[in-house]
Amino acid sequence: MALLLGASIMSIRMTALESSAIHQYRDRSTEVIVQVTTDPVRVAPKIMGTAFAPTSFSFIGQALEVDNRYRLRIPVRVFASTYSVEGLLPGQKISVQAKVLKSKERRVAALLIVKQRVKVLTPPSRWAQSLATIRLGLRQATGTGDAGALIPGMVIGDVSKQSADFKNDMRRSGLTHLVAVSGANFAIVSTFVLWGMQFIFRKLNHRLIATAICLAAFIALVRPSPSVLRAAAMAAVLLFAYGRRQGRDSLPALGFAIGAVVIADPFQARDPGFALSVLATAGLLLLAPKIKPKFLAPPIAAMVFCAPIIVSLSGYISPMSVLANLLAAPAVTPITIVGFIAALISPIAPVISAGLIFLVKPLATWIAWVAEWIAQFPVFTLKTGLYGFLAAALIVAAIYFGRAKFAIGLLILVIAFSWIQRFPAGDWQIANCDIGQGDAMVINLKNNRGIVIDVGPDPQAMDRCLHQLGIKEIPLLILTHVHADHVGGLQGAKKNRKVGTTWFGNISAGAKARIDGIDIEVIWPEQGDFDGNPNNASIAATFRSKDFTLFAAGDIEPPVQSLLRSRVGKVDIYKVAHHGSKYQDLDLMRELAPALAIISVGAENSYGHPAPSTISALTDLHAKVLRTDIDGAVAIRAERHRLSIQRSKRWLRIFFWS
């Protein structure tokens, strides 16, 4: 009956989405009247070509009218690169001139791309305005820093102040459930409200009714998004299970919550977050009672049951997350309760609200520090998708059903294989990071030091690569030119690292340096010789030691490449110019005659990099071609100009630590 009901509701919803009149305007621009459903949130800056895309906002709304012809009510995703949507509140109606595209998000009928200023048709309701005032008051009271960004997220689900680095640390440390409102927060708030109601109402029924009303208002405050409704349902299960203290009632209650959420929103059945909530709750109900000591039970049980989904999505799981949750747990309840009170009184008593936040901010600082510390430890990495899910599910089954000998044997096998497949293994002199469509290379100076040439487009990817290579100090940082795919990851390179000299537009041909036995000579740019193309302003340099010669060419193109003939000579390693594009000077390439050519390129990029003609030309020169989209990160060991190669992407590399 459950399968029949769920499938029927999903079919009805999908039929409504697929038969909507808005599909008639796909790949066309038209006027759409939209009612805002979720708060517009700023989208993390992305690379568009070689520059950062304009600041954009994303939110879900209900399309009410299309092209002044069709009246409907269908969910759509709005992606707007205009500040005029900032500050819009749920319930407001706006008119947008949008391009209608097919959306990969199954719960919406279309994706609306908005570039022009939107027209606001209705003001926010008093209720929405009041809730927005509370949210803004708490946001202002919490101040700056990661701690100031964490409190609004934990208390009212406001993640607008959280940086990408902070979210990455919370995810890697297994504390991502604290980044925003979760079932645990609902349990804390509802328990606190129920406790407080005893001083107002004498009868238990009255307290429960009052608590239910307060929680309904709390849901509106934190926004009734699918994740919040899911958290509310899971919190209700936990409260029911622990409140009644009757284990036999727990699983039926969990089943009822699952059914209620999926009936209300059938797309939750496809949402990994929903699966994680269900599995975490199931872990607390089924596995936690078997674990001793008791204080370790909740984080271990939740992590074990959630492991298959986590691995299938992210490709890794952090064993240190158990410790992170133990260290963070004592701070969660005070922050939630005191922050909740501070949020409620912020519109009428901002000074008192700020005082309350002052009391709990050290606890939020503690959680942020724990996340940053734990995130530095290696995580156990598997392939994502079905393989990772099945492997993790097998381990979980062995743990749950008590097959201790099998679990121990499997653990020994995993540790042995992960050691064999570590990257980089042993000594290395040059490494090229796998950071997508961009450039990032590291020359090893030993003792956790390295020369870094470009930092790619993504700070998290760059930090992860340097962390994997063990680089803690950068005596020389070379940023070849201004394009975002070469400099966008700068903050990731600087994170928790000491950076010495930086070359970026302040160096020209003829400049030389010597660092730990490596002679560096800048070959280009010539001072004052610039054609207006940023690619041709790239710093191109040679690196020579007793073990290797390297030419790193940035993104210089044929007009400049031709000028460098007879100025570089033969090299062992050539970091191919401009991601292996078709714009290459073949005479310079023949002069270089590299034994190894490295192309830093993103998989399935829209530029056609690397060009087949470039690959063919390098192959004709008998160069070994390595490309990051196929080979992943590359580490090279060089000994008196004899090179050996390690790749991070290998068919046998099943699981490893990273």
Side-chain angles (χ1 to χ4, degrees):
M1 289 298 296
L3 290 172
L4 178 61
L5 181 61
S8 299
I9 294 174
M10 176 64 88
S11 298
I12 294 171
R13 188 71 64 89
M14 289 299 298
T15 300
L17 291 174
E18 293 172 0
S19 61
S20 173
I22 201 168
H23 293 301
Q24 299 180 25
Y25 296 87
R26 185 174 293 175
D27 298 324
R28 295 162 51 192
S29 292
T30 187
E31 183 181 1
V32 185
I33 294 179
V34 178
Q35 185 172 35
V36 179
T37 303
T38 64
D39 294 276
V41 294
R42 192 180 297 244
V43 178
K46 299 184 184 302
I47 303 297
M48 181 180 289
T50 53
F52 284 106
T55 300
S56 301
F57 300 84
S58 174
F59 61 94
I60 290 179
Q62 293 281 340
L64 304 179
E65 186 176 305
V66 179
D67 196 25
N68 295 315
R69 295 177 59 193
Y70 299 101
R71 296 187 182 275
L72 58 160
R73 190 171 189 86
I74 202 79
V76 292
R77 168 70 66 178
V78 181
F79 196 85
S81 54
T82 168
Y83 280 93
S84 60
V85 302
E86 190 174 23
L88 288 175
L89 297 177
Q92 286 188 268
K93 294 180 182 180
I94 58 175
S95 176
V96 300
Q97 188 69 29
K99 186 173 183 179
V100 180
L101 299 176
K102 181 180 180 180
S103 176
K104 295 180 181 179
E105 190 175 3
R106 299 296 298 274
R107 67 171 62 245
V108 300
L111 171 66
L112 304 185
I113 303 298
V114 179
K115 296 183 179 181
Q116 301 177 13
R117 184 178 182 84
V118 305
K119 181 180 179 181
V120 179
L121 302 179
T122 61
S125 66
R126 289 186 178 181
W127 174 247
Q129 189 66 56
S130 300
L131 296 177
T133 303
I134 293 174
R135 292 171 66 89
L136 181 61
L138 182 63
R139 192 183 307 162
Q140 293 175 340
T142 51
T144 58
D146 289 339
L150 176 62
I151 295 174
M154 288 182 63
V155 176
I156 58 173
D158 184 354
V159 299
S160 59
K161 295 168 63 176
Q162 295 173 3
S163 67
D165 279 341
F166 175 66
K167 291 180 180 179
N168 185 60
D169 285 347
M170 295 291 282
R171 186 183 306 113
R172 192 175 172 89
S173 61
L175 295 175
T176 189
H177 59 283
L178 299 180
V179 171
V181 172
S182 65
N185 298 78
F186 272 87
I188 292 169
V189 170
S190 56
T191 302
F192 172 70
V193 172
L194 185 60
W195 172 82
M197 288 300 166
Q198 67 179 324
F199 301 106
I200 303 175
F201 301 103
R202 298 182 62 182
K203 292 185 177 182
L204 179 60
N205 288 343
H206 293 169
R207 294 179 207 164
L208 292 174
I209 293 172
T211 301
I213 294 173
C214 290
L215 287 181
F218 182 63
I219 291 172
L221 176 63
V222 301
R223 301 304 191 228
S225 64
S227 60
V228 170
L229 294 176
R230 179 176 62 240
M234 294 302 106
V237 173
L238 287 176
L239 287 175
F240 184 84
Y242 287 105
R244 292 291 301 274
R245 298 182 182 274
Q246 295 182 8
R248 64 179 181 271
D249 290 334
S250 302
L251 286 179
L254 175 60
F256 177 80
I258 295 170
V261 172
V262 172
I263 289 173
D265 182 4
F267 287 99
Q268 291 290 342
R270 300 173 55 88
D271 192 332
F274 179 61
L276 289 172
S277 295
V278 171
L279 289 172
T281 308
L284 295 175
L285 298 176
L286 296 174
L287 185 60
K290 298 182 178 183
I291 298 176
K292 294 180 180 180
K294 290 298 182 184
F295 71 91
L296 287 174
I300 292 177
M303 185 188 77
V304 168
F305 266 58
C306 291
I309 302 295
I310 293 173
V311 170
S312 67
L313 292 174
S314 65
Y316 65 78
I317 189 167
S318 172
M320 291 293 287
S321 64
V322 174
L323 177 60
N325 278 276
L326 285 175
L327 294 175
V332 174
T333 299
I335 292 174
T336 303
I337 293 176
V338 176
F340 180 56
I341 297 172
L344 293 179
I345 66 174
S346 61
I348 56 176
V351 176
I352 299 176
S353 177
L356 292 174
I357 294 299
F358 177 80
L359 295 176
V360 297
K361 198 166 184 178
L363 299 178
T365 302
W366 165 254
I367 293 178
W369 179 84
V370 168
E372 184 177 2
W373 175 54
I374 295 295
Q376 297 176 23
F377 287 89
V379 295
F380 184 64
T381 305
L382 293 109
K383 292 182 179 179
T384 58
L386 180 61
Y387 168 79
F389 175 84
L390 293 176
L394 182 63
I395 297 173
V396 171
I399 294 173
Y400 179 70
F401 291 108
R403 306 296 181 187
K405 292 182 180 180
F406 177 76
I408 292 172
L410 191 61
L411 182 62
I412 293 172
L413 182 66
V414 164
I415 292 174
F417 264 84
S418 61
W419 174 254
I420 293 171
Q421 298 181 103
R422 69 194 187 281
F423 177 87
D427 195 17
W428 60 276
Q429 278 67 49
I430 299 166
N432 200 85
C433 298
D434 181 11
I435 41 75
Q437 182 66 18
D439 269 341
M441 179 172 274
V442 182
I443 299 175
N444 194 359
L445 300 177
K446 310 297 183 184
N447 300 315
N448 303 114
R449 301 163 62 244
I451 299 170
V452 175
I453 308 167
D454 285 327
V455 291
D458 181 3
Q460 283 74 47
M462 190 65 207
D463 177 48
R464 186 164 55 248
C465 176
L466 293 179
H467 181 79
Q468 192 173 22
L469 297 172
I471 301 299
K472 298 179 181 178
E473 182 179 349
I474 305 173
L476 175 61
L477 173 62
I478 302 174
L479 304 175
T480 59
H481 63 296
V482 72
H483 282 160
D485 56 337
H486 291 253
V487 301
L490 180 59
Q491 291 306 312
K494 289 182 174 181
K495 186 178 180 182
N496 299 320
R497 294 179 184 87
K498 180 181 178 182
V499 179
T501 303
T502 300
W503 289 357
F504 180 45
N506 58 350
I507 208 81
S508 57
K512 297 181 180 181
R514 181 177 175 84
I515 305 176
D516 290 7
I518 298 176
D519 293 308
I520 308 164
E521 182 181 0
V522 177
I523 307 299
W524 187 266
E526 295 281 5
Q527 194 168 12
D529 192 351
F530 178 48
D531 61 3
N533 181 354
N535 287 336
N536 287 333
S538 294
I539 297 173
T542 59
F543 301 80
R544 303 180 187 275
S545 74
K546 64 182 180 62
D547 293 314
F548 67 86
T549 54
L550 163 70
F551 178 49
D555 276 359
I556 57 173
E557 297 184 355
V560 170
Q561 293 175 27
S562 63
L563 297 176
L564 302 187
R565 298 172 194 161
S566 304
R567 294 173 61 176
V568 182
K570 188 180 186 309
V571 297
D572 298 317
I573 304 167
Y574 174 35
K575 191 175 82 66
V576 181
H578 204 179
H579 318 289
S581 77
K582 64 182 179 180
Y583 302 110
Q584 307 289 335
D585 184 86
L586 298 183
D587 290 333
L588 175 64
M589 196 178 291
R590 280 190 285 269
E591 179 185 316
L592 297 173
L596 182 63
I598 299 176
I599 300 175
S600 189
V601 63
E604 299 180 0
N605 65 86
S606 59
Y607 309 100
H609 296 163
S613 59
T614 301
I615 300 293
S616 177
L618 290 166
T619 303
D620 290 343
L621 294 171
H622 306 290
K624 175 71 174 178
V625 179
L626 297 175
R627 38 193 287 189
T628 54
D629 59 337
I630 294 176
D631 300 298
V634 175
I636 302 161
R637 181 178 180 180
E639 186 174 359
R640 299 193 179 279
H641 305 279
R642 297 180 64 181
L643 310 178
S644 58
I645 302 164
Q646 298 178 56
R647 304 173 178 85
S648 67
K649 290 182 180 179
R650 292 172 290 179
W651 72 270
L652 268 176
R653 201 164 188 242
I654 302 172
F655 40 74
F656 50 94
W657 295 92
S658 64

